[in-house]
Amino acid sequence: MKKLLLLVFCGVLCINLIIGQESPRWKFQVNLAINKSFPSSKETSYNYFQQGEYLYTSYSGHWGYLFEAGYNSNIISNFSLFFGVNYNANRYKVGYEYEYFRYDGIMYSSYVNIPFLVNYKIQQFSVSTGVFLGMRISTFERLELVTKEGFTLINSSPYHLIKDYKIIHDKNYVKSNYGLILQADYEYQLNQKLSAVVFSRFTYGFKNTIKEHHYINYNRKWNTCDVALGLGLRI
């Protein structure tokens, strides 16, 4: 997968060299941002052992990051277009709670997205809206066992507890995604050829990314949603 990402970004750089020679209207841009992801559901329950004991799951937002490369092109008056490719790493805090113990950890979910935005610029400020198409790279959780007061772990425990472990969810989530992007940014000209861009971005996926058979997410939909704040360089 690292080779695939490297190939994609090398392709973007090659296109930059070609377009840069043919038309001065095209500008190459690289963005780096931190993002915070928001879960579609904050809490669910599931009859895990089918004997009256329920598994309660809780989710909350956590910090991730975004790396992006693309092109801006002026079209008419104050309007321009942006398209590119990005690597979006989403993070969520997750907890699985049983009667006497719980597991706490982080869910990691990463996507390669292709954004397409229409920008409207007023002097140095601009607002943008558009869509994205995405492909999920991986989804997994890293969890740590937390025992409740008065509960002692013994070898004969029926729960087969593991102190720390990793859950791979690649078979439980769909591969593709698509959705909406809203963005606002401010551009500061550093010199004749280079400018810095500060931007904030809201991204929402329209597709339910969980497969129906995933028992942990029983009767629940999961749409990707995150807010990013970042800095870019435009050449």
Side-chain angles (χ1 to χ4, degrees):
M1 188 52 60
K2 292 182 179 179
K3 292 182 179 179
L4 174 61
L5 293 175
L6 180 61
L7 181 62
V8 169
F9 285 110
C10 286
V12 171
L13 292 174
C14 291
I15 295 173
N16 175 51
L17 295 176
I18 297 172
I19 292 178
Q21 293 176 358
E22 294 181 352
S23 175
R25 296 190 308 165
W26 291 89
K27 291 186 177 181
F28 180 63
Q29 183 170 337
V30 177
N31 296 326
L32 181 63
I34 58 172
N35 62 25
K36 186 168 187 179
S37 302
F38 299 93
S40 298
S41 300
K42 293 185 178 180
E43 185 173 323
T44 63
S45 62
Y46 180 72
N47 192 346
Y48 186 70
F49 293 105
Q50 299 181 353
Q51 297 175 351
E53 181 175 350
Y54 280 80
L55 163 65
Y56 294 92
T57 61
S58 60
Y59 299 89
S60 60
H62 198 49
W63 296 99
Y65 63 93
L66 169 78
F67 178 66
E68 181 174 69
Y71 297 94
N72 281 278
S73 175
N74 295 325
I75 45 177
I76 55 172
S77 185
N78 294 334
F79 288 91
S80 63
L81 299 177
F82 174 84
F83 72 93
V85 60
N86 67 50
Y87 179 81
N88 194 355
N90 301 124
R91 305 288 185 263
Y92 306 90
K93 291 183 180 180
V94 58
Y96 297 105
E97 185 166 356
Y98 299 84
E99 184 177 358
Y100 300 109
F101 61 92
R102 65 180 286 117
Y103 277 101
D104 289 331
I106 303 295
M107 181 169 75
Y108 301 81
S109 188
S110 57
Y111 285 83
V112 170
N113 297 323
I114 300 175
F116 180 83
L117 299 172
V118 178
N119 313 311
Y120 179 72
K121 188 173 183 179
I122 304 175
Q123 295 181 352
Q124 293 174 291
F125 294 92
S126 67
V127 292
S128 311
T129 184
V131 296
F132 73 90
L133 297 175
M135 182 181 69
R136 186 179 58 82
I137 303 302
S138 65
T139 300
F140 63 92
E141 296 175 4
R142 292 191 180 277
L143 302 173
E144 180 179 356
L145 176 65
V146 180
T147 58
K148 296 185 178 181
E149 186 177 356
F151 179 73
T152 303
L153 295 178
I154 57 177
N155 294 334
S156 60
S157 170
Y159 301 105
H160 304 291
L161 300 180
I162 303 174
K163 186 176 180 180
D164 301 286
Y165 73 104
K166 178 179 178 181
I167 303 177
I168 305 296
H169 285 311
D170 287 343
K171 295 182 179 180
N172 300 320
Y173 288 75
V174 298
K175 277 292 185 181
S176 62
N177 195 16
Y178 60 91
L180 172 71
I181 298 176
L182 300 175
Q183 178 174 300
D185 62 66
Y186 175 83
E187 182 178 5
Y188 179 77
Q189 198 73 33
L190 299 175
N191 54 48
Q192 292 182 350
K193 295 183 178 181
L194 181 66
S195 60
V197 180
V198 179
F199 68 93
S200 60
R201 178 183 296 181
F202 171 77
T203 304
Y204 182 80
F206 292 141
K207 190 172 183 179
N208 179 21
T209 58
I210 291 179
K211 293 183 178 179
E212 294 181 359
H213 70 269
H214 186 11
Y215 72 88
I216 292 178
N217 299 295
Y218 183 69
N219 275 339
R220 184 166 60 84
K221 291 185 177 181
W222 191 278
N223 300 86
T224 57
C225 178
D226 66 77
V227 175
L229 179 63
L231 178 66
L233 292 177
R234 187 174 295 170
I235 304 173

